[in-house]
Amino acid sequence: MLAPTPAISAPRLSILGLTALLVCALPAALAAQTPAPPPQAVSSSAHTPTGLLLSDTTLTLRVDALRPDVLRVRLYPTTHPTQTPEDASWAVLPAARTARIPVTPEPTGFSTTSLRVSVTPDLRLTVSDLAGHILQSDALPVAWSPDGFTVTKAKSPVDHFFGLGDKPGPLDRTGEAFTLWNTDSFGWQESTDPIYKSIPFFLEMHDGRTLGVLFDNTYRTFFDFGRQRPDRYTFSAPAGPLDYYILYGPDPKHVVETYAWLTGPTPLPPLWAFGYQQSRYSYTPSAQVEDIAARLRADKIPADGIWLDIDYQYKYRPFTVDPATFPDFPGMVHTLAAEHLHTIVIADLHIADAPNQHYTPYDTGIAGDQFVKLHGQNYIGPVWPGPSLFPDFTRQQTRTWFGSLYKDFVADGVSGFWDDMNEPAVFTYPSKTMPNDVVHRIDEPADEGFAPRTALHSEIHNVYGMENSRATQEGLLTLQPNLRPFVLTRASYAGGQRYAATWTGDNLSTWNHLRMTTPQLLNLGLSGFSLSGADVGGFGGSPSPGLLTKWLMLAAFQPIDRDHAAKGTRPHEPWVDGPAQEDIRRRYINERYRLLPYLYTTAEQTSRTGIPILRPLFLEAPHATADNHPLDDDAPGEFFFGPSLLVAESPLPDDIAPYEVHLPPGIWYDYWTGAKLDRRQTLTTRDLEIKNPTANATPTLPPLMVHPALADLPLYVRAGAILPMQPLVQSTEEKPAGPLTLRVYLPAADATASTSSNDCSGDLYADDGLTFNFRHGDYLRLHITCTVAPDGALTVHIPQREGTFRPWWTQYRIEAVGFTPHTSKATTNGHITALDRTPLGWAATVPDTTQPQTITLQ
C-alpha cells in the first residue's frame, strides 16, 4: 500500500467533502466477498512531486507524470493492503513504468509542460493541453460492481479511434465494440470477435489532436468506441488492476513513437525476413520441399524462405522430425541453404503427454516441473499430438528450459521458428482453450515488478502466447547470441512486438479477406507490431487465379510476404495458373526485391522509433483534410509503404468499376510511369458546398480516377522523396550486380530560390543483414538530400558516412524523375558524366567515393 505523501508547498486539491470515492479497481473476487464501504473524506495529501495521490480508508487514486506527455492513472483499494495491485507489467518496459518527472501543482490538479490534469470531487479526470483544449475527460465516475469496473470517457461526434491490433473490420474503430481474449478463430469473418491477439492500446483523434491509451489489464477486457452510446466510449475488465497510460501527441506519429518508448519497438530482424516466403500446410515429404525450391529458382521467382507446417513432425509432436518423410532433415536444410533459401519450421508449445517414449521435451519438462497445473496436477488438454501438457511460461526458468529445446534445430541450420496455437488453443469446445482455473506460477526478474505468486489462467491467458514467443526468442539468443532471431507468433499482448513478428491467423481465400488485410496490418502497426503479414492467397479455401494474383501483388508491399495455404486446398505457388499469371506475380515480387534497400532502411528506423513500416494516411498526413478527419476514412485500401511510397489498392479489389484515389495534398509521381500529379488543393467543390453552401467555391482538380486492371496496382511517390533501390537479385544473400540507385522525385521548385533540402531527402541504412554487429558501429547510415536550383539543375548531396560497414555497391546511379536537363551532363568532384535516358526520366552513374560528395545533373 502506498503511504500518504507529505504535503508540499503548493495549493491543495479542492476535494474535501468528496462524496463518491470509487471502488472500481477491486478485483471481482475480492469485491464479491467485501461490500463497498461508504465513501470517506480524503485523508492524505492530494499532491505528490510527480502528480496526485488521493486516499481514504477505501481507495487510492494515483496519477503520475512519466514524461511531460505521458500520464499513468491507477486506482486501487487501500483497505486491503494484500490486494493492492503490484507495480508490475508484462507490457511496459521497467524504465518507462518507473519514470517520473516533477509537475506543477494547481488548485484542481497539476500541469506539465505539455498537459494539464484536473479532477472533480467524484474523481472524474480531465486532461487538456496547455491551450485549454480538452483531450480526454471522464463522462462518469469509474463504475464498480462485483462483475468488474468500467472507465467511461466523453466522446464527440468527430472522434476517431484506431488500434487494438488486427481486429477485423474497418481501420477506424469508431462505433464498434470489441472483446480482448486470445482465441483460435479459424476462418474468422469481418464481424468475428475476439480473434488471436489482445493489444489493449488505441489512438483517439479529435480536431487534429491525438492521444494514445494503453489499458494495461491482462484479463478479458472490453472496449466500446461509441457503439452503445455515441457520446461515450468505455474500456472495462472483470478483475485485475485499473492501470492505464495516456500518451499525448498532438501528432499521431509522436503518439506511436511514445508507445514504442513505453512498450518497446519492433527489433530489426534479419534481412532475409523481408524476402518472399513460400509455405503450405504441408510440404511433405522432403523431396517435395526440394522440388518447390528448385521451381522457385528455375522460374526466377526471388525467394528467401520455405516454411514447414506440422506434417514434418513425428506424430505432430513439437521438436521432432518424422524419419519416414524427412529421413535426412539436416541434409535437406543444407540443400535449401545452398540455394540461398532459409528453412522456417513450426514449433508449437503443447508437449505431447508421452511418458516412457524417449520424448525429450516431455521427459525434461516433467523432470523440471515445467507445466501448468489444474487441481494440483499437470493440466492435460487435447491438441495436435493428442493429450498434451502446457509449459508454465510465466516462470523465467520454464522459458529457459523451453528455449533450450531449439538446440537441435539450430544445429541443423534452421533459420526461423513459428509459434502457432499459442492462444493457447486446445481442442475443447466451446472455450477452445484451457479452463480459467488452471494455475500458473509467476516467477520473473525483479525489475519487472512481479512478486513470486500463483495466478489463475483468467489472468494469464492473454499474455500466454506472448510469453511463449519470448521463450523462443530468448532461447535462440542464448544458442546464437550474435544472430538476430526470427520468430513468428499467432497470439500476443501489448509489448509482444519485442519478441516476435506476427500474422493475422487463419484467413480465407476470399476477396473480402484480401480487402480486410490492409486495415488489419495498419492497426497492427499502430499497435506496435510493425513486422506483420497475412497468409497470401488466404489460408482456408482455394483462390481463383485473379484473387491469388491480386493478393501476391499487394503483399509485395507489406512487411511480411508469405504465401500460405491449408491442407486440401489447391496449390498457391506463383506458377500454378500458367505463364500469364506467373509473369504478373513475378513482376511484383521482383519490384519488392528492387525496393529492399528502402524497405530495410524503413525497418531499421522502425527498430529505433516505433513508426511502423505500413502506415495509414493520417500518420504521414494528419492534416490532409480541412476538418482534420483522417483521410483514410475516404480512402480505404490506401496506405503508405514506408515514408514515401503510397499504395492505392481499390477499396473493393474484385470490383471492375473505376475508383477514386485520394492522395494527401501535394505533388506526387506515378511510381510506374513517372507522371507528375499536382494534388495541392485540399478540398473539392462538393466539400466546400457541404461545409458552406454560400461560399464562392473555386472549381478544383477533378477526382483522380483509376480504372483497375488485373496487372495494375497504383503506386505513388511523394515529390522530394529519394528512394534507395538495387538491381534485381534472386535472394537477399545474392550480391546485387551494379550500382545502388538513388531515385530522386523532384520537389516543386520555387521559381526564385533553391528548394530547401528539407523538402528533398531520403535515408539509407545497410549492415550485414544477419548479426548484431551493427550495435558496435558496423553499419552504414546516410541522410541524402537534394536541392533544385532556379535554373532547374538538380544537386544530390551525399554526406559523410555514419558507421564502419562497407556495403556491396561501388557506384551510385542517380535517377531523376520529373527532371528536364539542359546540358544532359552530370558533374561530381570535377568529373563530367553524360546523362542517359530512362523510362522515368534521366540518370547518371558515378563512383561512390565513400566520402561526402555532390552530384549535379544539368
Side-chain angles (χ1 to χ4, degrees):
M1 181 177 71
L2 289 169
T5 302
I8 59 177
S9 56
R12 291 178 60 82
L13 198 62
S14 302
I15 57 173
L16 294 177
L18 184 67
T19 60
L21 275 172
L22 307 175
V23 210
C24 56
L26 282 168
L30 173 64
Q33 300 168 9
T34 308
Q40 305 291 324
V42 172
S43 59
S44 72
S45 299
H47 290 102
T48 74
T50 63
L52 301 172
L53 181 61
L54 313 177
S55 297
D56 70 358
T57 57
T58 303
L59 290 176
T60 294
L61 169 68
R62 180 162 191 159
V63 184
D64 286 296
L66 279 57
R67 295 188 339 190
D69 53 354
V70 180
L71 305 174
R72 184 183 183 189
V73 181
R74 305 180 75 199
L75 189 65
Y76 50 87
T78 57
T79 53
H80 300 276
T82 59
Q83 295 297 325
T84 300
E86 299 166 305
D87 188 2
S89 178
W90 303 103
V92 180
L93 296 171
R97 179 174 53 81
T98 58
R100 298 290 185 273
I101 62 160
V103 301
T104 301
E106 297 186 353
T108 59
F110 68 88
S111 63
T112 72
T113 55
S114 298
L115 298 171
R116 177 166 285 112
V117 177
S118 62
V119 62
T120 61
D122 56 358
L123 290 191
R124 283 180 293 151
L125 292 175
T126 296
V127 180
S128 308
D129 65 15
L130 298 187
H133 301 110
I134 294 177
L135 305 171
Q136 185 190 86
S137 62
D138 289 345
L140 295 171
V142 179
W144 169 83
S145 76
D147 296 324
F149 59 83
T150 300
V151 178
T152 303
K153 303 286 185 180
K155 175 185 170 297
S156 82
V158 295
D159 276 355
H160 301 270
F161 299 89
F162 304 91
L164 297 190
D166 55 352
K167 296 288 190 182
L171 177 69
D172 192 338
R173 307 301 195 187
T174 305
E176 302 290 332
F178 302 94
T179 300
L180 270 60
W181 184 253
N182 293 355
T183 303
D184 180 6
S185 187
F186 172 81
W188 48 267
Q189 296 295 332
E190 194 160 10
S191 59
T192 303
D193 187 62
I195 59 171
Y196 304 97
K197 280 172 277 294
S198 296
I199 308 175
F201 173 72
F202 62 89
L203 283 76
E204 176 185 3
M205 298 184 68
H206 175 92
D207 285 339
R209 290 174 288 275
T210 306
L211 280 181
V213 175
L214 170 63
F215 177 34
D216 194 8
N217 182 298
T218 64
Y219 287 79
R220 185 190 293 261
T221 52
F222 306 91
F223 294 79
D224 185 323
F225 298 114
R227 183 171 182 174
Q228 185 173 23
R229 285 191 53 159
D231 61 338
R232 296 175 182 174
Y233 73 90
T234 64
F235 48 93
S236 58
L242 200 171
D243 188 356
Y244 66 97
Y245 298 78
I246 299 172
L247 292 58
Y248 179 48
D251 184 270
K253 187 177 285 188
H254 182 72
V255 173
V256 174
E257 289 178 308
T258 302
Y259 181 68
W261 171 80
L262 199 68
T263 65
T266 297
L268 184 64
L271 176 61
W272 63 261
F274 295 108
Y276 175 71
Q277 319 282 326
Q278 191 64 57
S279 182
R280 184 172 180 82
Y281 171 34
S282 286
Y283 289 135
T284 185
S286 58
Q288 186 186 27
V289 179
E290 294 175 1
D291 287 346
I292 293 293
R295 184 67 185 267
L296 287 166
R297 293 298 179 237
D299 284 19
K300 294 193 178 302
I301 297 171
D304 269 86
I306 295 182
W307 295 59
L308 301 183
D309 213 316
I310 59 174
D311 285 316
Y312 81 92
Q313 299 170 137
Y314 175 69
K315 295 184 177 181
Y316 298 143
R317 295 177 180 179
F319 303 103
T320 67
V321 174
D322 188 340
T325 52
F326 290 81
D328 182 11
F329 182 80
M332 182 203 71
V333 172
H334 289 119
T335 296
L336 297 182
E339 293 293 334
H340 305 295
L341 288 165
H342 294 262
T343 303
I344 305 95
V345 302
I346 202 166
D348 291 336
L349 58 88
H350 42 259
I351 302 300
D353 183 26
N356 304 315
Q357 297 180 44
H358 306 291
Y359 178 41
T360 298
Y362 173 86
D363 294 340
T364 57
I366 289 292
D369 191 23
Q370 307 291 6
F371 302 110
V372 298
K373 311 295 181 185
L374 181 63
H375 308 313
Q377 304 296 320
N378 289 329
Y379 168 72
I380 297 175
V383 204
W384 291 117
S388 301
L389 299 95
F390 296 79
D392 203 350
F393 289 120
T394 55
R395 303 170 72 233
Q396 184 180 28
Q397 55 266 49
T398 296
R399 293 196 302 273
T400 299
W401 159 77
F402 190 83
S404 71
L405 299 178
Y406 292 93
K407 180 179 180 181
D408 290 345
F409 282 143
V410 167
D412 289 341
V414 173
S415 298
F417 297 92
W418 174 12
D419 291 341
D420 199 3
M421 304 294 287
N422 57 355
E423 290 71 34
V426 182
F427 294 163
T428 56
Y429 290 85
S431 74
K432 297 193 285 187
T433 193
M434 61 178 64
N436 279 345
D437 56 349
V438 163
V439 174
H440 302 256
R441 295 158 290 171
I442 297 177
D443 191 356
E444 293 293 335
D447 64 347
E448 296 186 8
F450 293 100
R453 61 180 175 90
T454 60
L456 297 182
H457 187 67
S458 54
E459 177 185 351
I460 300 302
H461 176 87
N462 281 342
V463 298
Y464 190 78
M466 177 175 78
E467 294 303 289
N468 167 217
S469 62
R470 179 182 180 182
T472 301
Q473 187 211 55
E474 290 173 349
L476 297 177
L477 289 172
T478 298
L479 292 166
Q480 296 176 306
N482 199 38
L483 288 185
R484 293 176 235 169
F486 179 78
V487 182
L488 188 79
T489 186
R490 191 167 75 174
S492 200
Y493 182 72
Q497 70 273 3
R498 302 192 296 262
Y499 311 121
T502 194
W503 88 108
T504 61
D506 294 341
N507 60 0
L508 298 178
S509 297
T510 68
W511 287 100
N512 199 39
H513 273 261
L514 171 59
R515 180 184 62 82
M516 287 190 289
T517 294
T518 292
Q520 283 189 295
L521 297 185
L522 290 173
N523 272 318
L524 273 170
L526 293 172
S527 306
F529 282 85
S530 180
L531 197 59
S532 60
D535 286 346
V536 175
F539 178 69
S542 297
S544 67
L547 174 58
L548 181 56
T549 294
K550 280 291 188 184
W551 212 319
L552 282 162
M553 291 164 58
L554 187 65
F557 303 98
Q558 293 172 352
I560 293 177
D561 187 4
R562 182 183 74 144
D563 182 330
H564 186 49
K567 187 174 288 189
T569 64
R570 82 179 186 93
H572 275 205
E573 293 76 33
W575 51 81
V576 297
D577 297 304
Q581 298 282 356
E582 184 181 13
D583 286 346
I584 299 171
R585 298 164 185 174
R586 183 192 296 106
R587 173 193 169 198
Y588 282 87
I589 296 172
N590 285 350
E591 205 63 32
R592 178 183 182 87
Y593 276 75
R594 292 190 180 100
L595 282 165
L596 276 175
Y598 170 75
L599 174 55
Y600 193 62
T601 296
T602 303
E604 192 275 335
Q605 292 170 342
T606 294
S607 73
R608 291 183 288 110
T609 68
I611 303 301
I613 296 170
L614 229 61
R615 308 173 186 186
L617 303 185
F618 72 75
L619 204 66
E620 289 295 335
H623 305 293
T625 59
D627 62 357
N628 285 317
H629 78 269
L631 182 59
D632 306 78
D633 286 356
D634 306 319
E638 295 183 29
F639 58 90
F640 277 95
F641 181 59
S644 302
L645 188 58
L646 190 150
V647 182
E649 174 61 289
S650 169
L652 298 171
D654 56 333
D655 193 343
I656 63 172
Y659 64 94
E660 184 176 355
V661 170
H662 298 262
L663 296 176
I667 303 294
W668 294 84
Y669 291 89
D670 186 304
Y671 178 83
W672 303 112
T673 68
K676 184 177 179 180
L677 301 156
D678 188 339
R679 311 300 295 183
R680 282 177 285 192
Q681 292 167 294
T682 61
L683 290 176
T684 66
T685 302
R686 179 176 178 275
D687 290 329
L688 287 169
E689 290 171 347
I690 292 172
K691 293 180 181 301
N692 186 358
T694 64
N696 295 320
T698 302
T700 61
L701 296 172
L704 178 59
M705 301 302 296
V706 171
H707 298 263
L710 177 63
D712 295 338
L713 178 60
L715 304 177
Y716 303 93
V717 187
R718 293 178 186 269
I722 301 177
L723 300 185
M725 303 176 68
Q726 69 180 26
L728 181 63
V729 293
Q730 293 301 299
S731 83
T732 58
E733 292 184 354
E734 180 183 340
K735 180 181 177 180
L740 176 82
T741 295
L742 299 175
R743 186 178 290 176
V744 182
Y745 292 83
L746 262 68
D750 189 302
T752 60
S754 297
T755 299
S756 166
S757 62
N758 291 331
D759 296 328
C760 182
S761 64
D763 291 298
L764 175 62
Y765 176 85
D767 60 26
D768 64 20
L770 194 62
T771 74
F772 289 108
N773 291 349
F774 65 87
R775 293 177 175 173
H776 309 291
D778 192 21
Y779 63 87
L780 171 97
R781 182 178 289 116
L782 294 172
H783 179 68
I784 304 159
T785 60
C786 85
T787 54
V788 181
D791 65 357
L794 168 68
T795 300
V796 176
H797 307 270
I798 299 175
Q800 180 66 48
R801 289 183 173 185
E802 181 182 338
T804 61
F805 181 72
R806 298 182 63 85
W808 52 265
W809 65 85
T810 58
Q811 294 176 308
Y812 292 117
R813 180 171 174 81
I814 311 298
E815 291 187 357
V817 183
F819 169 71
T820 301
H822 298 289
T823 66
S824 298
K825 295 180 181 178
T827 59
T828 178
N829 299 330
H831 298 285
I832 298 176
T833 303
L835 300 184
D836 58 276
R837 198 79 161 96
T838 76
L840 301 182
W842 295 85
T845 301
V846 300
D848 175 7
T849 66
T850 74
Q851 299 298 317
Q853 62 188 111
T854 60
I855 303 102
T856 300
L857 280 63
Q858 295 176 310

